[in-house]
Amino acid sequence: MKILRSCTHPRWFAASAADLQGLLSDHLHCERKAAENALALVRRYPHRGESVTQLGRLAHEETSHVVQVAALLGRRGWTPRADSPNRYARALLEEVRGREPDRLLDALLVAAFIEARSHERLGLLARGFAARGDGELADFYAALGSAEERHAEIFLELAEPLVPPDAFAARLEELGGREAEILGALPHGSRVH
Ligand SMILES: [Fe+2]
Ligand SMILES: [Fe+2]
């Protein structure tokens, strides 16, 4: 399912690749936060048996991405820099409503949008680095990007049964518009979002 309502600006790649250590450091923290977010959902909703299994697996896979990004940084002779606030994710999380089942629905949909946007951007990084002749980075981003696409599907599958189909479609539409607006207002930099 294609959920993104906008495409990343063509000039984004050059800005993101300008500081490769910065980009990889931000990417490492994105993977860490994705693992933490999945486990936080397990903490908040332990009674949802099937989703606990899926979220646990997802956290495991995101943690393996942390390891892979750290290894790539190491091969280039770099250590990860400290995390800096992610304005994109923060703005999206502000859209999460307070009452159940809206709270869980929104948390899962926001996670789906972050995964879908990560998939788009890691794909752009894969193609951009391939064009520059950096095969290691191109293969790395292509592999991680396809995992993020699956993650978006998992979050959508977990969210869909929570409310009637028309309410699901309406909220997906609303949050899709908001995601495009938030992303479009952010400056381009050496980070994933
Ligand atoms: Fe990941
Ligand atoms: Fe992911």
Side-chain angles (χ1 to χ4, degrees):
M1 190 196 276
K2 292 269 170 284
I3 59 171
L4 296 180
R5 299 286 177 272
S6 70
C7 293
T8 286
H9 194 282
R11 277 199 294 270
W12 172 79
F13 172 74
S16 70
D19 170 11
L20 195 49
Q21 185 183 2
L23 173 67
L24 285 164
S25 298
D26 177 67
H27 183 187
L28 181 134
H29 290 293
C30 285
E31 301 289 2
R32 171 184 59 76
K33 283 180 269 196
E36 287 174 353
N37 181 57
L39 292 178
L41 288 169
V42 171
R43 170 169 53 77
R44 259 195 271 151
Y45 303 98
H47 51 285
R48 301 180 54 82
E50 177 59 17
S51 74
V52 168
T53 308
Q54 281 177 284
L55 291 167
R57 273 202 205 108
L58 196 143
H60 192 253
E61 194 169 10
E62 302 292 21
T63 305
S64 86
H65 294 169
V66 174
V67 175
Q68 291 176 57
V69 181
L72 201 143
L73 274 156
R75 285 201 293 283
R76 305 236 165 179
W78 294 321
T79 47
R81 290 185 194 146
D83 190 20
S84 62
N86 187 320
R87 289 162 63 192
Y88 167 76
R90 279 192 184 178
L92 265 176
L93 288 167
E94 276 172 23
E95 301 298 316
V96 176
R97 294 165 295 178
R99 276 210 193 170
E100 299 296 357
D102 297 340
R103 185 177 179 220
L104 177 57
L105 175 75
D106 289 356
L108 292 168
L109 290 180
V110 162
F113 277 105
I114 295 174
E115 295 285 354
R117 187 60 74 182
S118 302
H119 164 67
E120 186 219 20
R121 292 216 154 163
L122 297 189
L124 290 172
L125 291 171
R127 290 192 285 285
F129 285 116
R132 284 190 181 186
D134 190 331
E136 185 191 32
L137 277 179
D139 293 350
F140 173 77
Y141 281 117
L144 264 59
S146 70
E148 308 313 348
E149 186 173 39
R150 266 189 295 109
H151 296 165
E153 294 293 335
I154 290 169
F155 282 116
L156 290 175
E157 279 166 30
L158 293 175
E160 203 164 10
L162 295 173
V163 290
D166 52 341
F168 178 80
R171 191 58 180 151
L172 195 63
E173 189 60 39
E174 261 171 22
L175 285 176
R178 192 65 196 113
E179 192 271 347
E181 218 171 75
I182 291 166
L183 192 88
L186 289 172
H188 296 164
S190 289
R191 47 191 314 144
V192 180
H193 311 107

